[in-house]
Amino acid sequence: MFQESISRYLQSSRYSKIQLKSVLFDMDGVLFNSMPYHADAWHKVMERHGLHLSREEAYLHEGRTGAATINIVYQRQYGKDATPEIIQSIYAEKSAEFNSNPEPERMPGAWEVLQKIKSEGLIPMVVTGSGQHSLLDRLSHNFPGMFRRELMVTAFDVKYGKPHPEPYLMALQKGGLAPNEAIVVENAPMGVQAGAAAGIFTVAVNTGPIDGQILLDARANVLFPSMQDFCDNWESLRKAFE
């Protein structure tokens, strides 16, 4: 079922096999069902500042750092970069708006697939463009014993956010991994592009409102319609790697 996708990856990357040691997870829309809150917060706060970012477009920017998202919208509207002060002010407001929502729940299937991964001796890692302290703090509460803080890559660690490969290259470095010793799990086109650009086999889970083809066009190797479906098919995918 997955053999063809794996063969294509091996052919293009010139590896002889995928020797899986670690699974690199994006956070928003993969581990937490938090994207509707993010999209709503971005839209409302941008409008307050006379900037236009629809909820739908917010999904397409997912994975970028907050600063990069603000600057892209600001440049588009005013033809110049936003100052660091403007970026800081808008991002603080966006974080407050996001935190006014109820706690986002775990994405269905996320905890279950993490338990499978951990039981097989694989190392789960988080690679997120988020700098939301509230969500980062919730990782240990919602996914106890799953993630080591020193192996996380967040907006605080990188100069270039997704779709640049830097976040995933940094994750490989932190984990002491080669690109064919990990897989990426992403729900956003930017994240998929980052994983693919880092040379890692990239799994897309379409947990948002975008067309699945957008994720395949961003160079996802495999596409699942949900995290639950990824969890249900984990054993088959794992076997295919072997």
Side-chain angles (χ1 to χ4, degrees), residues 23 28 30 43 51 60 74 88 94 123 125 131 140 196 217:
V23 183
D28 293 299
V30 172
H43 172 69
L51 298 161
L60 299 176
Y74 198 90
Q88 196 176 353
K94 184 260 168 181
I123 299 167
M125 293 170 64
S140 55
D217 291 345

Side-chain angles (χ1 to χ4, degrees), residues 37-231:
Y37 295 159
H38 278 295
D40 193 54
W42 274 124
H43 172 69
K44 284 178 177 170
V45 172
M46 291 289 199
E47 286 295 323
R48 272 181 223 151
H49 288 264
L51 298 161
H52 304 299
L53 178 71
S54 70
R55 290 173 179 84
E56 292 73 23
E57 191 193 341
Y59 277 88
L60 299 176
H61 287 289
E62 186 197 346
R64 292 192 200 277
T65 62
T69 300
I70 293 162
N71 204 42
I72 283 167
V73 177
Y74 198 90
Q75 274 182 332
R76 184 172 68 200
Q77 207 150 327
Y78 296 116
K80 60 181 181 181
D81 286 337
T83 64
E85 293 74 25
I86 288 171
I87 287 172
Q88 196 176 353
S89 165
I90 292 176
Y91 192 66
E93 214 176 304
K94 184 260 168 181
S95 297
E97 184 69 45
F98 175 85
N99 289 330
S100 70
N101 290 294
E103 277 201 14
E105 294 181 356
R106 283 194 307 221
M107 193 60 83
W111 173 243
E112 293 78 8
V113 79
L114 275 164
Q115 287 177 301
K116 292 179 185 183
I117 286 163
K118 194 87 166 179
S119 72
E120 290 175 25
L122 302 173
I123 299 167
M125 293 170 64
V126 169
V127 183
T128 176
S130 179
Q132 303 266 174
H133 288 286
S134 57
L135 275 181
L136 296 171
D137 291 344
R138 276 180 216 152
L139 277 169
S140 55
H141 172 67
N142 283 276
F143 300 99
M146 285 296 166
F147 300 108
R148 285 159 53 193
R149 186 70 187 87
E150 70 272 17
L151 292 180
M152 284 182 200
V153 178
T154 74
F156 303 114
D157 300 305
V158 297
K159 183 178 179 187
Y160 306 103
K162 304 168 188 177
H164 195 283
E166 186 196 18
Y168 283 110
L169 292 173
M170 186 174 284
L172 294 177
Q173 192 181 0
K174 282 190 175 194
L177 301 160
N180 67 325
E181 292 177 332
I183 62 169
V184 163
V185 184
E186 271 282 355
N187 70 307
M190 297 282 166
V192 169
Q193 284 174 33
I200 308 168
F201 186 92
T202 301
V203 173
V205 286
N206 193 9
T207 60
I210 62 175
D211 190 313
Q213 189 59 46
I214 294 173
L215 295 164
L216 291 171
D217 291 345
R219 293 170 57 204
N221 298 101
V222 176
L223 175 66
F224 292 101
S226 65
M227 274 299 280
Q228 188 61 60
D229 195 54
F230 172 57
C231 177

Side-chain angles (χ1 to χ4, degrees), residues 3-15:
Q3 211 59 59
E4 200 180 318
S5 303
I6 293 168
S7 297
R8 277 200 302 268
Y9 165 79
L10 293 174
Q11 201 173 355
S12 65
S13 63
R14 304 204 172 146
Y15 289 112

